[in-house]
Amino acid sequence: MTLHFIAIGGSAMHNLALALHHKGYQITGSDDVIFDPAKSRLDKAGLLPCEIGWFPEEITTDLDAIILGMHAREDNPELLKAKELGIKIYSYPEFLYEQSKNKTRIVVGGSHGKTTITAMIIHVLQQLNINCDYMVGAQLEGFDIMVKLSEEAEFMVIEGDEYLTSPIDRRPKFHVYQPTIGIISGIAWDHINVFPTFDFYVEQFKIFAEMIPENGCYIYCEDDIVLREMSETANICAPKIRYTVHPHYIEDGVTFLNILNPSVKTDGNEGGIPLQIFGKHNLTNINAARLACNAIGISNEQFYDAIQTFKGASNRLELLRKNETCAVFKDFAHSPSKLKATVEALKAQFPHRKLVACMELHTFSSLTEKFLEQYAGAMDCADVGIIFFSPDTVAHKKLPPITSEMIFNAFQRSDLEVYHHAKQLEERILAMPDTDTVFAFMSSGNFGGLDLRRLADRLMV
């Protein structure tokens, strides 16, 4: 097939382009801006557009189909030309479904944890030499790209984002994938620019659960009250499997799984499986991944043997640097539930160290005054809480200004420190004692361009 990607520079889009290129498809693409790592990766594969911009004259009937990225707009000139010529147009998730419609699709949904659960399942399958296709929203160690598509694989593991499918398709992505095995990790209101009420947001997960067929299975976290109530009242025809946090214990800074009975919470130290990850949320994610693997014939013994080598997905509680008395982590946490889970995980893992938690308000939701109140208590476990946001980002998103007072009130913590400039934040961090301290930087952005690895190196000196 000959395919053209409109908005090829996106994180998901360029990975799909690379996957199809490796599969032997003829790929072209365009975009009005392309940043690294997408730029370098596309260039290495010979897929980087010669010029930046949109070129409708390049859209001809020689193309078999268009793949439309979310970054494009409804009035994109290349999209309009494709419609005029009657060329088949796929959104990113629609094309993934077309490539996997004859496979068993494991789709991982939820407001938090879906990247990690997806990565865990893929890791276990790889360790067991079970061929699978996949799409995951973060770079994984040992994997060149975030998307794999093949003819041979029986299974497709998909991170099921609830955001919109494309500029011309307002369905949530995870509805398009039509799960055979569906997982929901939890429900915490997000994307308020698309889902303006909490009830409307919850409804999208209900639709997802009700899509799972009778011969599939529905796996959900019973610890989430909203999710549990939705799962009990929805018209779900698939068998339901509930999960909670996996029994575990922490010894000398290492988290162990207690595997005598994975369905029962215990505090004993018997049957310990050492992990390279930690945190209650990750121990809950492990149970979701285990049950999904069970559903396709993988035993608990096989799962536990494989999960020991899982190091986590990029930017998910990722350790940047450490020494005997200091550790620096970065995490993608930005929503209230993710932020709270990360802060609590670090405090539980390092109970005798001071925790300095720095979080950037960067998303549309987090920079909206009416949503800020969702962060109440999210930073309570941190010894020092720091909030960073850029007024330029607020203006770029065309939102009303927010103030430090709004942040203090929202988080319900008056001792928070608020910074607007990367240099000021860097100077504050470097002025702190680094002995017996854990630093955590949490954001879906980049703290105004702050080089976190360089900062971590300087903290180790």
Side-chain angles (χ1 to χ4, degrees):
M1 292 183 72
T2 301
L3 302 172
H4 180 78
F5 282 65
I6 299 178
I8 195 171
S11 175
M13 286 285 280
H14 90 271
N15 273 283
L16 178 58
L18 291 170
L20 293 173
H21 172 69
H22 295 324
K23 196 176 177 182
Y25 287 35
Q26 298 298 309
I27 304 297
T28 59
S30 58
D31 214 323
D32 58 356
V33 61
I34 303 177
F35 298 110
D36 274 326
K39 184 176 181 180
S40 298
R41 299 177 80 197
L42 289 170
D43 190 29
K44 184 178 179 180
L47 300 181
L48 186 68
C50 296
E51 295 182 67
I52 292 297
W54 312 115
F55 304 95
E57 64 275 11
E58 299 295 327
I59 307 301
T60 71
T61 53
D62 293 335
L63 296 171
D64 292 306
I66 295 287
I67 311 294
L68 178 64
M70 193 64 204
H71 171 65
R73 299 182 182 274
E74 288 184 81
D75 61 354
N76 182 282
E78 294 186 3
L79 174 60
L80 296 178
K81 181 66 175 294
K83 287 182 174 181
E84 178 187 326
L85 295 176
I87 300 171
K88 178 66 177 177
I89 299 169
Y90 292 100
S91 65
Y92 175 90
E94 282 176 325
F95 195 82
L96 286 181
Y97 172 74
E98 283 297 316
Q99 294 279 304
S100 63
K101 60 185 177 183
N102 296 319
K103 304 176 186 289
T104 296
R105 290 174 304 284
I106 303 172
V107 182
V108 185
S111 304
H112 43 253
K114 53 184 174 287
T115 299
T116 299
I117 296 169
T118 305
M120 287 174 172
I121 297 169
I122 295 168
H123 175 85
V124 169
L125 292 175
Q126 185 197 45
Q127 293 296 301
L128 297 175
N129 295 316
I130 297 174
N131 190 17
C132 76
D133 291 345
Y134 57 81
M135 187 283 287
V136 64
Q139 194 66 45
L140 307 181
E141 185 172 300
F143 294 83
D144 293 331
I145 54 178
M146 295 153 53
V147 180
K148 179 193 168 192
L149 298 169
S150 68
E151 301 296 334
E152 303 81 18
E154 179 182 353
F155 307 108
M156 175 85 176
V157 188
I158 304 173
E159 180 179 339
D161 183 9
E162 70 269 24
Y163 202 69
L164 300 182
T165 292
S166 84
I168 58 175
D169 187 343
R170 307 293 289 181
R171 291 176 296 170
K173 292 185 182 76
F174 67 166
H175 292 178
V176 179
Y177 298 133
Q178 300 187 36
T180 313
I181 298 167
I183 299 171
I184 300 182
S185 60
I187 301 176
W189 190 24
D190 201 356
H191 309 303
I192 67 168
N193 54 322
V194 175
F195 310 111
T197 69
F198 180 63
D199 289 343
F200 184 43
Y201 183 71
V202 174
E203 180 67 17
Q204 309 314 309
F205 293 93
K206 176 174 177 285
I207 293 169
F208 171 79
E210 292 178 343
M211 296 177 72
I212 304 169
E214 291 181 13
N215 63 344
C217 70
Y218 169 50
I219 301 168
Y220 70 96
C221 181
E222 66 176 336
D223 295 335
D224 187 300
I225 297 173
V226 173
L227 175 57
R228 185 171 68 240
E229 290 178 352
M230 184 277 286
S231 300
E232 290 171 352
T233 58
N235 184 25
I236 299 169
C237 61
K240 300 178 185 179
I241 305 175
R242 299 174 297 175
Y243 68 92
T244 184
V245 60
H246 198 293
H248 64 281
Y249 58 93
I250 301 172
E251 193 172 277
D252 297 328
V254 177
T255 297
F256 292 79
L257 295 180
N258 187 316
I259 64 170
L260 290 182
N261 187 341
S263 300
V264 178
K265 295 181 182 179
T266 67
D267 296 320
N269 293 8
E270 306 86 1
I273 295 290
L275 299 176
Q276 299 190 45
I277 56 175
F278 62 89
K280 181 180 177 181
H281 61 302
N282 275 329
L283 292 155
T284 307
N285 293 337
I286 277 179
N287 252 350
R290 178 181 63 84
L291 291 169
C293 289
N294 290 167
I296 59 173
I298 296 170
S299 69
N300 282 338
E301 183 180 8
Q302 290 173 307
F303 178 84
Y304 291 131
D305 186 56
I307 202 65
Q308 296 179 62
T309 55
F310 180 73
K311 296 181 179 179
S314 177
N315 293 322
R316 269 67 177 181
L317 257 180
E318 181 179 352
L319 178 64
L320 296 181
R321 287 293 305 274
K322 72 173 182 176
N323 57 27
E324 292 299 317
T325 63
C326 180
V328 183
F329 291 86
K330 71 172 180 177
D331 193 81
F332 192 68
H334 54 85
S335 68
S337 59
K338 294 175 183 176
L339 175 62
K340 189 172 189 292
T342 296
V343 172
E344 289 180 351
L346 288 165
K347 196 62 181 175
Q349 194 73 6
F350 304 96
H352 304 300
R353 292 190 181 186
K354 181 172 72 174
L355 174 58
V356 178
C358 183
M359 184 264 183
E360 178 181 13
L361 300 173
H362 180 74
T363 65
F364 185 97
S365 296
S366 68
L367 291 169
T368 303
E369 183 179 2
K370 73 173 183 177
F371 186 82
L372 270 173
E373 64 187 30
Q374 303 292 321
Y375 286 96
M379 294 276 268
D380 284 359
C381 283
D383 297 291
V384 178
I386 298 174
I387 301 297
F388 176 91
F389 76 92
S390 169
D392 291 339
T393 301
V394 178
H396 179 73
K397 295 180 185 293
K398 298 180 180 178
L399 291 167
I402 59 175
T403 65
S404 298
E405 193 65 31
M406 290 178 190
I407 293 172
F408 300 145
N409 292 336
F411 282 83
Q412 296 181 7
R413 183 166 173 174
S414 60
D415 65 339
L416 288 177
E417 301 177 29
V418 180
Y419 295 92
H420 303 143
H421 302 287
K423 187 64 176 176
Q424 292 175 336
L425 174 61
E426 182 178 37
E427 290 173 352
R428 172 64 177 121
I429 294 295
L430 291 173
M432 291 183 181
D434 56 11
T435 302
D436 293 327
T437 303
V438 174
F439 294 90
F441 295 91
M442 298 162 288
S443 176
S444 60
N446 64 3
F447 289 97
L450 184 62
D451 187 334
L452 292 180
R453 292 192 181 277
R454 177 176 173 272
L455 179 59
D457 288 341
R458 293 180 68 184
L459 286 168
M460 296 300 112
V461 176

